[in-house]
């Protein structure tokens, strides 16, 4: 039966419209070759005879980030380096010198032991409450003639029960301890929430000759992550902080420390305090100095990415092959960014492909810690033994996975910084 003219016109128009829509939806070629910056790093790695996955820190960008940090702080607060985000003694020393600070925040007992032994002039605040057994391990293995743990170390504690454990340990080992109390200023991840708890902790400290109150730590990264106006959350957090200071001052009176440490902030939030009066006297930050991708946020827009993972290309394929009949060719026919495959030395890191542009993890093959498969278009001219660069999503764990950090300076790998050991 013949199709009526109007119906035929509709069918033809519909097919043409669908074809036009398909053309409009068809992905474009996103591939690019290395920029001159990454080409120069590739040459630097080859010249340094590096042939395995490596973590790179761009020293010039690192120092520029320190300069940016200092410009925001502008002498209004002391600065404490968050060492878990820069877990290398060489990296920490570089930042200490550039930022003119000897203050460190540590989160791991083995790191504390290494800092005490190798950076003995550090002033250390623990960044989380440690199991009392971890503190005991530190004291029993402590071996430094220069680091005075009774003056240079503050233990962060969060509850009267944990504080009582430290009382027992201090008396058992005959050591004096400085205690910093963790405040919950809205994050709700632990710490003192009300005056009764705070007074209970202060009473324990006052009753124990081997303990002394050193200050507060109130961490508030939630203020840039939860829905709403971050300045409103900032103000609420600071009101909570002030309330605890008033309570402690009223209780301690003349015993309120002249050198009290009132710590706050982190990389995501520190720039929210560029102006105004706030109850703390010290800020902490670390990740903003190397800027992993998790810190690509508005409050750190003026910081530069300064760290990369570099990994060699082990194999390439232009055959569009996936071990499911025909799927690879179909994908490549539809999306030109599936045309090539690159297998890297190692993989499955907390990282995102950075250069060449247009690389991505194959969604069908999954991830691999041995030989990661990345896809890209024919515009990407990568060959075996060339380099692929990724940006870490975080620094604190990722930096520990590659051995010594390669320091990039003036287009050369000028030195290697060892990372902190997970056990000590």
């Amino acid at each position: 039966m013949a199709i009526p003219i109007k119906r035929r016109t509709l069918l033809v128009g519909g097919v043409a419209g669908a074809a036009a829509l398909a053309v409009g939806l068809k992905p474009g070629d996103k591939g690019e070759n290395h920029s001159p910056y990454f080409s120069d790093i590739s040459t630097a790695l080859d010249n340094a005879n590096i042939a395995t996955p490596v973590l790179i820190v761009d020293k010039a960008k690192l120092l520029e980030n320190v300069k940016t940090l200092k410009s925001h702080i502008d002498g209004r607060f002391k600065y404490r380096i968050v060492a878990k985000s820069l877990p290398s003694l060489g990296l920490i020393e570089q930042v200490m010198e550039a930022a003119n600070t000897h203050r460190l925040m540590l989160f791991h007992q083995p790191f504390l032991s290494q800092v005490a032994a190798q950076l003995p002039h550090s002033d250390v605040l623990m960044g989380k409450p440690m199991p009392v057994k971890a503190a005991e391990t530190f004291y029993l293995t402590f071996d430094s003639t220069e680091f005075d743990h009774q003056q240079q170390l503050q233990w962060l504690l969060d509850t009267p029960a944990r504080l009582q454990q430290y009382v027992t340990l201090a008396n058992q080992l005959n050591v004096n301890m400085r205690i910093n109390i963790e405040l919950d200023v809205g994050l709700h991840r632990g710490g003192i929430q009300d005056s009764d708890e705070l007074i209970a902790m202060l009473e324990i400290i006052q009753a124990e000759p081997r303990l002394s109150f050193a200050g507060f730590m109130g961490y508030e990264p939630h203020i840039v992550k939860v829905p709403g106006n971050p300045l409103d959350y900032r103000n609420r957090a600071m009101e909570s902080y002030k309330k605890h200071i008033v309570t402690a001052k009223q209780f301690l009176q003349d015993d309120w420390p002249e050198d009290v440490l009132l710590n706050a902030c982190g990389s995501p939030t520190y720039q929210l305090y560029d102006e105004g009066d706030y109850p703390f006297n010290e800020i902490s930050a670390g990740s903003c100095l190397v800027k992993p991708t998790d810190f690509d946020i508005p409050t750190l827009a003026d910081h530069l990415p300064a760290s990369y993972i570099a990994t060699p290309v082990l194999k390439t394929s232009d055959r569009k092959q996936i071990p499911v009949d025909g799927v690879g060719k179909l994908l490549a026919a539809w999306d030109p960014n599936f045309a090539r495959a690159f297998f890297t030395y190692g993989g499955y890191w907390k990282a995102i492909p950075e250069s060449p542009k247009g690389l991505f993890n194959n969604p069908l093959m999954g991830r691999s810690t041995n030989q990661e498969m990345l896809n890209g278009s024919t515009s990407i001219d990568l060959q075996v033994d060339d380099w692929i660069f990724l940006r870490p999503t975080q620094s604190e764990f990722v930096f520990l996975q590659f051995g010594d950090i390669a320091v990039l300076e003036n287009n050369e790998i000028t030195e290697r910084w060892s990372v902190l050991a997970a056990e000590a």
Side-chain angles (χ1 to χ4, degrees):
M1 183 178 72
I3 300 174
I5 296 296
K6 288 185 179 180
R7 186 179 171 195
R8 188 185 315 162
T9 302
L10 287 173
L11 285 173
V12 172
V15 171
L21 179 62
V23 170
L25 293 176
K26 183 177 172 62
D29 186 337
K30 299 177 182 177
E32 300 177 16
N33 287 316
H34 285 313
S35 66
Y37 176 76
F38 287 105
S39 292
D40 288 344
I41 300 179
S42 297
T43 300
L45 292 169
D46 291 339
N47 290 341
N49 294 317
I50 296 173
T52 56
V54 64
L55 193 289
I56 299 167
V57 167
D58 185 322
K59 189 174 181 180
K61 291 184 177 181
L62 171 74
L63 296 179
E64 185 64 28
N65 286 335
V66 174
K67 188 176 178 181
T68 298
L69 177 92
K70 290 177 66 178
S71 72
H72 283 282
I73 297 174
D74 196 26
R76 299 173 65 236
F77 309 107
K78 301 294 185 182
Y79 168 53
R80 187 173 296 273
I81 301 168
V82 178
K84 71 178 175 63
S85 303
L86 309 169
S88 158
L89 291 175
L91 179 52
I92 291 169
E93 286 182 293
Q94 187 69 60
V95 174
M96 290 175 95
E97 179 181 352
N100 191 28
T101 183
H102 61 284
R103 300 177 181 225
L104 299 179
M105 180 178 283
L106 301 176
F107 293 77
H108 191 35
Q109 177 267 310
F111 292 0
L112 171 60
S113 296
Q114 291 167 77
V115 164
Q118 299 184 57
L119 298 176
H121 301 298
S122 301
D123 176 278
V124 175
L125 168 64
M126 299 306 292
K128 64 186 178 188
M130 303 296 294
V132 71
K133 280 292 183 182
E136 181 179 16
T137 298
F138 166 72
Y139 288 115
L140 293 179
T141 58
F142 177 75
D143 184 21
S144 173
T145 58
E146 296 181 73
F147 184 80
D148 183 356
H149 58 75
Q150 298 187 118
Q151 295 297 322
Q152 294 172 241
L153 171 63
Q154 296 182 35
W155 295 103
L156 184 73
L157 301 181
D158 57 339
T159 65
R162 197 189 300 271
L163 176 59
Q164 196 61 60
Q165 292 179 324
Y166 275 70
V167 169
T168 301
L169 180 64
N171 287 315
Q172 175 187 326
L173 299 181
N174 295 318
V175 295
N176 295 333
M177 296 182 181
R178 303 180 71 202
I179 305 301
N180 195 289
I181 296 177
E182 182 179 18
L183 304 178
D184 182 356
V185 293
L187 180 58
H188 303 324
R189 192 177 65 180
I192 294 300
Q193 289 190 352
D194 58 57
S195 297
D196 290 341
E197 267 192 308
L198 174 56
I199 290 173
M201 292 187 74
L202 293 174
E203 285 177 338
I204 294 172
I205 294 171
Q206 287 288 83
E208 293 295 333
R210 291 205 170 277
L211 269 58
S212 61
F213 170 72
F216 291 136
M217 190 273 276
Y219 185 42
E220 33 62 294
H222 63 285
I223 66 179
V224 294
K225 296 182 178 181
V226 294
N229 186 343
L231 299 184
D232 289 341
Y233 289 107
R234 178 200 66 185
N235 294 340
R236 290 184 212 171
M238 292 303 102
E239 285 302 315
S240 176
Y241 208 130
K242 288 177 186 176
K243 179 190 73 173
H244 292 306
I245 290 175
V246 169
T247 298
K249 281 185 172 181
Q250 289 175 344
F251 179 85
L252 293 172
Q253 297 187 26
D254 291 344
D255 289 332
W256 177 260
E258 289 186 10
D259 60 346
V260 67
L261 171 60
L262 303 172
N263 178 275
C265 305
S267 288
T269 59
Y270 88 90
Q271 292 192 24
L272 298 179
Y273 302 92
D274 284 358
E275 297 178 350
D277 294 322
Y278 303 99
F280 56 87
N281 55 24
E282 176 187 90
I283 70 122
S284 299
S287 294
C288 64
L289 302 183
V290 288
K291 200 177 183 182
T293 62
D294 284 354
F295 295 83
D296 288 343
I297 55 178
T299 51
L300 293 175
D302 54 357
H303 281 263
L304 305 171
S307 58
Y308 301 96
I309 296 166
T311 185
V313 176
L314 294 180
K315 308 167 186 175
T316 69
S317 173
D318 295 326
R319 292 172 292 178
K320 313 174 185 65
Q321 289 185 335
I322 290 177
V324 178
D325 288 344
V327 172
K329 292 182 179 179
L330 285 173
L331 282 173
W334 168 251
D335 186 346
N337 300 292
F338 279 94
R340 298 195 71 193
F342 308 94
F343 295 86
T344 64
Y345 191 147
Y348 215 161
W349 301 294
K350 289 181 177 291
I352 297 173
E354 177 70 13
S355 186
K357 296 293 186 185
L359 292 177
F360 59 96
N361 295 106
N362 186 283
L364 297 178
M365 292 295 291
R367 308 297 303 273
S368 172
T369 57
N370 178 37
Q371 298 181 60
E372 186 95 278
M373 178 181 178
L374 299 175
N375 284 120
S377 76
T378 55
S379 296
I380 300 174
D381 186 24
L382 277 179
Q383 305 301 322
V384 169
D385 296 335
D386 287 343
W387 292 93
I388 286 174
F389 298 90
L390 306 95
R391 275 185 67 199
T393 59
Q394 61 164 243
S395 57
E396 55 200 66
F397 173 70
V398 178
F399 277 36
L400 300 174
Q401 296 181 273
F402 301 90
D404 293 351
I405 294 171
V407 182
L408 178 71
E409 189 174 11
N410 297 323
N411 291 331
E412 294 182 7
I413 303 301
T414 56
E415 57 184 317
R416 301 294 293 267
W417 290 333
S418 61
V419 295
L420 291 166
E423 297 181 4

